[in-house]
Amino acid sequence: MRNLPDFLRIAAGLVGLLLAIDGRCQDLPSAWHPSVQHSALWAQRTAARLHPDLPSCPVWLPEETVGHAAAVEAVLQGFGDPHTGVAQRERADRMKRKFGMLPFEVVRSSEGTIVRKSIAAALPAGARLLTVQGCDVAEVAQGWSDGFVNDVVAAELGVRAGGTVLLRWIDPIQGDTVSGAVEVVRDRRGRGAAGGGGGAEAVEGGVVLKPPVFSTLPTEWEELPQAGGVVLDLRGHGGGGVQEAVVLARRLTGYTGPLPQAVVLKGSPEARRLQPDQLLSGGGEDWEAVWKAVRSLPDGAVDTVRFQTGGTGGPHRTGRCAVLVDGGTSSAAAALADWLQRRGQAVVIGTPWAPSAGGTYGNAVRAADPETGLAIRVATAAFVWDSTAWGPCAGPGLPDLSLEPTAAAWAAGRDPVREAGVAWATGQPWRPDSATVAAWMSREAPERWALWRGIERELKPSGEWRRQAWEAVSTHATAVAWADLAGAQAERQAERQAERQAGQPVDHFASDANTWAEAKTEARQRRDAALRAACPASSLPALEQLLNPSKPAVLHFGIHDRMNCGVCKPGEQ
């Protein structure tokens, strides 16, 4: 229950909220179209009625915000809760029928906004977008990394199906800057391909599973093999019903104990009354008991409920598991990825993902404006998954292998993140394309990258000697990355020793904490032997100096470029 200061804080917030509804929250830009004004004001009042926290509704928004749904989204961002906003699914489905869709999808990376898929003849996959309708792509491409969000961009640009959108991009092959126009087309894709669906694809030694939005009615997950590797692709996954996420967690780990949830109730009584209409029946009596407990909590209460073992899901599986994530992995999907990683029964590959509110996910109800049909979602509760392992102040999720696609990979039709996941899950070496491994080494493995740069500067390899040198260095770097993954997993599993002694399954691929160190030593020995075998005799002394420098004469520490280190090579800049 709440203590007295919490009670006073919440009471003061509710008073302020009523004042905000009557005054400040209604102060919207006068230049907005009346229909936008109506929807924004309706969204404010509805969210304020269902959400107990005092919103910081904006009194001014950039003039560039011209889209109907985009304006309402900006208003709702003032609540500071990532689970309160425009309901994207309804927004996309409605807008794409009226306006059509852009004939390409993009992904954001450190290289910029890259075209991932394209059915426009003039716009190739791998192109780096620069401008859209004369505006910098960063101003108009918010959310484009999720495929189904592409369906609403045409609407926000004010272009209907049959119209054209002017683009400027950098050609992925020639490197030239190109200008052109693409036609907005009618949607011919299925709902799943548009970003909300999923599926399972068998690969040699395992399966790649891309779940649709999680449901409150758990599925059996028949696609999961009892043995073999599983790649769980949660990139761009917005979460959904925690019931199905829990069932999937049990199937992937064999964990049969309760999953504690620290619950912070944020919704008003009206919001809790709406919850039963949003929940499907099924999943076992324990699911119903959990939601009954949540709905019975008073406003602002903090309590713990447990998802027990009654949910169906079939026998657990054994074998490796790789989870793919990106900045779009959120809510229950983010909690699932974090939980699997912390238990040491999966490695996470991709880019950092930020569980909303730092390790929490929320339950939300939805409401629709009867006049415009615009749908919004309003957070009504915040949960913390497995609060015995981490608290609500946990930071963004960090992958075990930080990796993102390069423009060259997209242009070649490759998905390096998926390739890495499949390789790990099936117990194969990691063999990325040259552009991907070079980009990864320069950011994540600077010592190996410094060795390669030293070989380039000092030995100036060419022809077959250069190819063999690069292969030796890159193979070593990826082998070390694989050993580091095994080591990280082994360390996390060691922290769960008590659970393993209680009969929980052990991932036999990473159960020996010493194996990973031996693998790194062996990989270095193979690298050095391959470099010596390929190196011209005249360059062998210089190669030995790179591999085993006679300096430093004094001890110093840190990953560094030996060729530019004043201790390793005194007197040089």
Side-chain angles (χ1 to χ4, degrees), residues 86-98:
V86 174
Q88 296 279 7
R89 173 60 57 194
E90 288 82 355
R91 170 187 173 191
D93 288 345
R94 183 179 65 258
M95 294 295 189
K96 72 183 179 185
R97 287 194 298 269
K98 183 175 181 180

PDB file of all heavy atoms in Angstrom, residues 86-98:
ATOM      1  N   VAL A  86      -1.088   7.029 -29.584  1.00  0.00           N
ATOM      2  CA  VAL A  86      -2.002   6.606 -30.632  1.00  0.00           C
ATOM      3  C   VAL A  86      -1.826   5.109 -30.852  1.00  0.00           C
ATOM      4  O   VAL A  86      -0.709   4.602 -30.895  1.00  0.00           O
ATOM      5  CB  VAL A  86      -1.733   7.383 -31.935  1.00  0.00           C
ATOM      6  CG1 VAL A  86      -2.581   6.851 -33.077  1.00  0.00           C
ATOM      7  CG2 VAL A  86      -2.007   8.861 -31.725  1.00  0.00           C
ATOM      8  N   ALA A  87      -2.925   4.393 -30.968  1.00  0.00           N
ATOM      9  CA  ALA A  87      -2.866   2.951 -31.211  1.00  0.00           C
ATOM     10  C   ALA A  87      -2.425   2.723 -32.653  1.00  0.00           C
ATOM     11  O   ALA A  87      -3.191   2.911 -33.588  1.00  0.00           O
ATOM     12  CB  ALA A  87      -4.229   2.303 -30.947  1.00  0.00           C
ATOM     13  N   GLN A  88      -1.179   2.341 -32.836  1.00  0.00           N
ATOM     14  CA  GLN A  88      -0.585   2.304 -34.168  1.00  0.00           C
ATOM     15  C   GLN A  88      -1.318   1.374 -35.123  1.00  0.00           C
ATOM     16  O   GLN A  88      -1.440   1.647 -36.308  1.00  0.00           O
ATOM     17  CB  GLN A  88       0.885   1.869 -34.060  1.00  0.00           C
ATOM     18  CG  GLN A  88       1.761   2.839 -33.306  1.00  0.00           C
ATOM     19  CD  GLN A  88       2.211   4.004 -34.166  1.00  0.00           C
ATOM     20  OE1 GLN A  88       1.761   4.152 -35.299  1.00  0.00           O
ATOM     21  NE2 GLN A  88       3.067   4.852 -33.628  1.00  0.00           N
ATOM     22  N   ARG A  89      -1.774   0.247 -34.647  1.00  0.00           N
ATOM     23  CA  ARG A  89      -2.396  -0.720 -35.553  1.00  0.00           C
ATOM     24  C   ARG A  89      -3.629  -0.131 -36.225  1.00  0.00           C
ATOM     25  O   ARG A  89      -3.770  -0.175 -37.440  1.00  0.00           O
ATOM     26  CB  ARG A  89      -2.746  -1.994 -34.778  1.00  0.00           C
ATOM     27  CG  ARG A  89      -3.538  -3.005 -35.565  1.00  0.00           C
ATOM     28  CD  ARG A  89      -2.798  -3.474 -36.788  1.00  0.00           C
ATOM     29  NE  ARG A  89      -1.511  -4.043 -36.454  1.00  0.00           N
ATOM     30  CZ  ARG A  89      -0.558  -4.292 -37.341  1.00  0.00           C
ATOM     31  NH1 ARG A  89      -0.745  -3.996 -38.602  1.00  0.00           N
ATOM     32  NH2 ARG A  89       0.578  -4.815 -36.977  1.00  0.00           N
ATOM     33  N   GLU A  90      -4.529   0.446 -35.443  1.00  0.00           N
ATOM     34  CA  GLU A  90      -5.714   1.038 -36.027  1.00  0.00           C
ATOM     35  C   GLU A  90      -5.336   2.210 -36.924  1.00  0.00           C
ATOM     36  O   GLU A  90      -5.896   2.416 -37.989  1.00  0.00           O
ATOM     37  CB  GLU A  90      -6.670   1.505 -34.928  1.00  0.00           C
ATOM     38  CG  GLU A  90      -7.363   0.371 -34.186  1.00  0.00           C
ATOM     39  CD  GLU A  90      -6.497  -0.232 -33.090  1.00  0.00           C
ATOM     40  OE1 GLU A  90      -5.324   0.172 -32.970  1.00  0.00           O
ATOM     41  OE2 GLU A  90      -7.000  -1.095 -32.352  1.00  0.00           O
ATOM     42  N   ARG A  91      -4.372   2.982 -36.473  1.00  0.00           N
ATOM     43  CA  ARG A  91      -3.933   4.141 -37.250  1.00  0.00           C
ATOM     44  C   ARG A  91      -3.414   3.700 -38.613  1.00  0.00           C
ATOM     45  O   ARG A  91      -3.788   4.246 -39.651  1.00  0.00           O
ATOM     46  CB  ARG A  91      -2.841   4.862 -36.462  1.00  0.00           C
ATOM     47  CG  ARG A  91      -2.093   5.945 -37.220  1.00  0.00           C
ATOM     48  CD  ARG A  91      -0.939   6.421 -36.363  1.00  0.00           C
ATOM     49  NE  ARG A  91      -0.073   7.340 -37.070  1.00  0.00           N
ATOM     50  CZ  ARG A  91       1.100   7.726 -36.607  1.00  0.00           C
ATOM     51  NH1 ARG A  91       1.540   7.275 -35.451  1.00  0.00           N
ATOM     52  NH2 ARG A  91       1.850   8.575 -37.286  1.00  0.00           N
ATOM     53  N   ALA A  92      -2.570   2.672 -38.639  1.00  0.00           N
ATOM     54  CA  ALA A  92      -1.998   2.219 -39.897  1.00  0.00           C
ATOM     55  C   ALA A  92      -3.068   1.632 -40.807  1.00  0.00           C
ATOM     56  O   ALA A  92      -3.114   1.935 -42.000  1.00  0.00           O
ATOM     57  CB  ALA A  92      -0.896   1.194 -39.627  1.00  0.00           C
ATOM     58  N   ASP A  93      -3.912   0.762 -40.258  1.00  0.00           N
ATOM     59  CA  ASP A  93      -4.928   0.109 -41.081  1.00  0.00           C
ATOM     60  C   ASP A  93      -5.866   1.129 -41.711  1.00  0.00           C
ATOM     61  O   ASP A  93      -6.261   0.986 -42.869  1.00  0.00           O
ATOM     62  CB  ASP A  93      -5.734  -0.880 -40.234  1.00  0.00           C
ATOM     63  CG  ASP A  93      -4.922  -2.104 -39.882  1.00  0.00           C
ATOM     64  OD1 ASP A  93      -3.873  -2.309 -40.521  1.00  0.00           O
ATOM     65  OD2 ASP A  93      -5.326  -2.855 -38.982  1.00  0.00           O
ATOM     66  N   ARG A  94      -6.221   2.158 -40.942  1.00  0.00           N
ATOM     67  CA  ARG A  94      -7.159   3.140 -41.465  1.00  0.00           C
ATOM     68  C   ARG A  94      -6.495   4.038 -42.504  1.00  0.00           C
ATOM     69  O   ARG A  94      -7.036   4.296 -43.576  1.00  0.00           O
ATOM     70  CB  ARG A  94      -7.706   3.987 -40.310  1.00  0.00           C
ATOM     71  CG  ARG A  94      -8.761   4.997 -40.754  1.00  0.00           C
ATOM     72  CD  ARG A  94      -9.285   5.786 -39.565  1.00  0.00           C
ATOM     73  NE  ARG A  94      -8.250   6.614 -38.964  1.00  0.00           N
ATOM     74  CZ  ARG A  94      -7.602   6.312 -37.840  1.00  0.00           C
ATOM     75  NH1 ARG A  94      -7.873   5.195 -37.205  1.00  0.00           N
ATOM     76  NH2 ARG A  94      -6.684   7.123 -37.351  1.00  0.00           N
ATOM     77  N   MET A  95      -5.291   4.502 -42.190  1.00  0.00           N
ATOM     78  CA  MET A  95      -4.628   5.454 -43.065  1.00  0.00           C
ATOM     79  C   MET A  95      -4.190   4.828 -44.384  1.00  0.00           C
ATOM     80  O   MET A  95      -4.246   5.452 -45.433  1.00  0.00           O
ATOM     81  CB  MET A  95      -3.411   6.060 -42.348  1.00  0.00           C
ATOM     82  CG  MET A  95      -3.766   6.918 -41.154  1.00  0.00           C
ATOM     83  SD  MET A  95      -4.690   8.403 -41.630  1.00  0.00           S
ATOM     84  CE  MET A  95      -4.686   9.295 -40.087  1.00  0.00           C
ATOM     85  N   LYS A  96      -3.726   3.584 -44.343  1.00  0.00           N
ATOM     86  CA  LYS A  96      -3.221   2.989 -45.583  1.00  0.00           C
ATOM     87  C   LYS A  96      -4.360   2.731 -46.572  1.00  0.00           C
ATOM     88  O   LYS A  96      -4.153   2.758 -47.779  1.00  0.00           O
ATOM     89  CB  LYS A  96      -2.455   1.706 -45.297  1.00  0.00           C
ATOM     90  CG  LYS A  96      -3.297   0.510 -44.869  1.00  0.00           C
ATOM     91  CD  LYS A  96      -2.405  -0.663 -44.539  1.00  0.00           C
ATOM     92  CE  LYS A  96      -3.218  -1.866 -44.077  1.00  0.00           C
ATOM     93  NZ  LYS A  96      -2.363  -2.984 -43.650  1.00  0.00           N
ATOM     94  N   ARG A  97      -5.575   2.476 -46.058  1.00  0.00           N
ATOM     95  CA  ARG A  97      -6.700   2.268 -46.969  1.00  0.00           C
ATOM     96  C   ARG A  97      -7.052   3.572 -47.687  1.00  0.00           C
ATOM     97  O   ARG A  97      -7.461   3.565 -48.845  1.00  0.00           O
ATOM     98  CB  ARG A  97      -7.916   1.750 -46.190  1.00  0.00           C
ATOM     99  CG  ARG A  97      -7.786   0.315 -45.735  1.00  0.00           C
ATOM    100  CD  ARG A  97      -9.138  -0.232 -45.285  1.00  0.00           C
ATOM    101  NE  ARG A  97      -9.684   0.496 -44.148  1.00  0.00           N
ATOM    102  CZ  ARG A  97      -9.462   0.165 -42.876  1.00  0.00           C
ATOM    103  NH1 ARG A  97      -8.689  -0.881 -42.593  1.00  0.00           N
ATOM    104  NH2 ARG A  97      -9.991   0.865 -41.893  1.00  0.00           N
ATOM    105  N   LYS A  98      -6.881   4.682 -47.008  1.00  0.00           N
ATOM    106  CA  LYS A  98      -7.257   5.974 -47.575  1.00  0.00           C
ATOM    107  C   LYS A  98      -6.139   6.573 -48.418  1.00  0.00           C
ATOM    108  O   LYS A  98      -6.385   7.124 -49.489  1.00  0.00           O
ATOM    109  CB  LYS A  98      -7.638   6.935 -46.447  1.00  0.00           C
ATOM    110  CG  LYS A  98      -8.113   8.293 -46.930  1.00  0.00           C
ATOM    111  CD  LYS A  98      -8.576   9.130 -45.753  1.00  0.00           C
ATOM    112  CE  LYS A  98      -9.080  10.491 -46.218  1.00  0.00           C
ATOM    113  NZ  LYS A  98      -9.545  11.322 -45.072  1.00  0.00           N
TER     114      LYS A  98
END
